[in-house]
């Protein structure tokens, strides 16, 4: 039988392939996995903390979408325009002219029967594709969590059931205020607390990076053996 140098040569080159080349292959795979994981993580965090997130609440046969300018991120001590896109079941808009509406603002937590902190006057506004819907200018006095309650009854001729809708709003510190010396409306802020971004959301990408790095290093070590 004739020798087969080609097969031997191929096997020889395969066995004698430098470890650095194998490491680069594993490193490239690990890098791709890490980038894919990091992209998924960023997308998930973005979904958890959207820039503009309208709130939708439903009571009886009425639904409402709350939006607060600017970008659903009100600041303490600064005027914010709030509007409620009221609709009946089926999507028909309820203008303020057909609703005896009342807006009340509470600082959470609050006791039952406690008077509202604010009662802004409602006016008809036009926003996006909605015309004449209830809107009001609200100035939140301090940072913290508030509850907006919109109560409404139909005026004569309107057809919808009385409703009571509750919306939770988080208010950040105003640009003109010293947030380090300002008391939160819900109590004192702790040193490690954040109203906008929790610590776990910052630490999660770091732990993910460490986990991927460990996997890549183990793969490289296994290829070296």
């Amino acid at each position: 039988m004739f020798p087969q140098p080609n097969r031997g040569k191929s096997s020889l080159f395969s066995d004698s392939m430098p470890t650095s080349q194998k490491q680069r292959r594993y490193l490239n795979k690990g890098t791709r996995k890490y980038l894919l994981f990091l992209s998924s993580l960023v997308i998930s965090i973005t979904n958890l903390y959207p820039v503009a997130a309208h709130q939708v609440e439903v009571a009886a046969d009425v639904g409402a979408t709350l939006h607060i300018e600017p970008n659903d991120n009100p600041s303490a001590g600064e005027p914010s325009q709030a509007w409620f896109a009221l609709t009946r079941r089926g999507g028909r808009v309820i203008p303020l002219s057909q609703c005896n509406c009342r807006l009340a603002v509470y600082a959470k937590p609050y006791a039952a029967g406690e008077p509202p902190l604010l009662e802004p006057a409602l006016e008809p506004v036009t926003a996006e594709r909605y015309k004449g819907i209830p809107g009001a200018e609200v100035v939140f006095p301090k940072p913290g969590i508030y509850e907006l309650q919109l109560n409404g009854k139909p005026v004569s001729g309107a057809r919808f059931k009385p409703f009571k809708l509750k919306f939770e709003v988080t208010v950040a510190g105003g640009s003109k205020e010293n947030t380090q010396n300002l008391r939160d409306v819900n109590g004192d802020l702790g040193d490690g607390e954040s109203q906008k971004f929790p610590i776990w959301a910052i630490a999660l990408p770091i732990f993910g990076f460490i986990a991927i790095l460990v996997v890549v290093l183990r793969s490289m070590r296994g290829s070296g053996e």
Side-chain angles (χ1 to χ4, degrees), residues 126-141:
T126 298
E128 297 182 357
R129 61 185 180 88
Y130 304 100
K131 295 182 179 180
I133 57 176
E137 183 179 87
V138 183
V139 180
F140 298 96

Side-chain angles (χ1 to χ4, degrees), residues 167-178:
F167 302 85
E168 187 174 283
V169 177
T170 299
V171 178
S175 58
K176 299 180 181 180
E177 299 183 45
N178 185 356

Side-chain angles (χ1 to χ4, degrees), residues 38-224:
L38 189 59
S39 299
S40 301
L41 189 63
V42 171
I43 292 173
S44 64
I45 293 176
T46 304
N47 289 335
L48 285 174
Y49 296 92
V51 175
H54 295 0
Q55 294 188 52
V56 180
E57 295 292 337
V58 178
D61 59 345
V62 175
T65 301
L66 167 65
H67 179 71
I68 300 180
E69 298 287 355
N71 299 324
D72 289 305
N73 291 307
S75 298
E78 300 177 6
S80 299
Q81 180 68 35
W83 52 263
F84 302 85
L86 281 176
T87 57
R88 289 176 50 189
R89 183 177 300 169
R92 187 172 181 178
V93 177
I94 303 175
L96 183 60
S97 59
Q98 296 181 8
C99 179
N100 183 10
C101 295
R102 172 177 172 268
L103 177 62
V105 180
Y106 295 85
K108 297 187 68 175
Y110 63 92
E114 180 179 337
L117 182 66
L118 302 170
E119 291 186 280
L122 291 170
E123 297 180 354
V125 299
T126 298
E128 297 182 357
R129 61 185 180 88
Y130 304 100
K131 295 182 179 180
I133 57 176
E137 183 179 87
V138 183
V139 180
F140 298 96
K142 296 180 180 180
I145 301 176
Y146 293 81
E147 182 176 279
L148 274 61
Q149 292 187 10
L150 182 66
N151 301 332
K153 297 180 180 180
V155 300
S156 179
R159 295 183 178 180
F160 60 87
K161 297 179 181 179
F163 62 86
K164 183 176 183 179
L165 301 169
K166 299 180 180 180
F167 302 85
E168 187 174 283
V169 177
T170 299
V171 178
S175 58
K176 299 180 181 180
E177 299 183 45
N178 185 356
T179 56
Q180 293 181 353
N181 298 326
L182 189 64
R183 285 178 58 87
D184 192 300
V185 71
N186 310 112
D188 289 329
L189 285 173
D191 293 337
E193 292 179 340
S194 174
Q195 290 292 331
K196 287 188 175 182
F197 212 70
I199 296 176
W200 66 264
I202 300 174
L204 190 59
I206 298 176
F207 286 120
F209 172 77
I210 294 175
I212 295 299
L213 185 61
V214 169
V215 172
V216 173
L217 291 176
R218 285 183 177 178
S219 301
M220 293 174 59
R221 188 173 302 173
S223 64

